[in-house]
Amino acid sequence: MSANLSQLNACTWFSDNAKSLSFQLLHSLQIQQGVQLASLLSVDPILYNDEAVYVWVQRQLDDGLIVDDYALSTLETAFIELVTAHTDQAA
């Protein structure tokens, strides 16, 4: 993960739930480093993929995502839908 991510993790506006779920999402979907996800996730385009995921997950939580046994699955589904929609538009 990038050096900037450690600074973002230390940032107080990322909740512990966002940090945990983001890490799990990055791992479960094997999200690679790069910069292409930021615009797809509608976050600041200067963010690396892992940083973009942290911001996106925090926004999902802020928008009412319930942290339960299904939260990671919900995030995976939403993420895959965004990627699929973007891929379909590009085709």
Side-chain angles (χ1 to χ4, degrees):
M1 292 189 196
S2 72
N4 291 337
L5 184 58
S6 62
Q7 294 172 345
L8 286 174
N9 277 339
C11 182
T12 57
W13 68 266
F14 284 121
S15 68
D16 289 340
N17 286 330
K19 293 175 192 176
S20 175
L21 287 167
S22 296
F23 178 80
Q24 292 175 62
L25 185 65
L26 289 164
H27 180 65
S28 69
L29 296 180
Q30 299 180 358
I31 297 171
Q32 301 296 311
Q33 195 52 270
V35 294
Q36 67 276 15
L37 289 181
S39 61
L40 178 72
L41 299 175
S42 300
V43 300
D44 193 325
I46 67 166
L47 297 175
Y48 290 106
N49 289 349
D50 54 347
E51 298 166 331
V53 168
Y54 273 77
V55 173
W56 181 75
V57 168
Q58 183 64 60
R59 287 182 181 172
Q60 300 305 303
L61 292 169
D62 292 346
D63 288 343
L65 175 68
I66 297 171
V67 179
D68 58 12
D69 292 341
Y70 305 103
L72 180 59
S73 178
T74 301
L75 288 169
E76 288 172 344
T77 300
F79 183 90
I80 290 168
E81 287 175 356
L82 281 173
V83 171
T84 301
H86 178 74
T87 304
D88 290 345
Q89 287 178 348

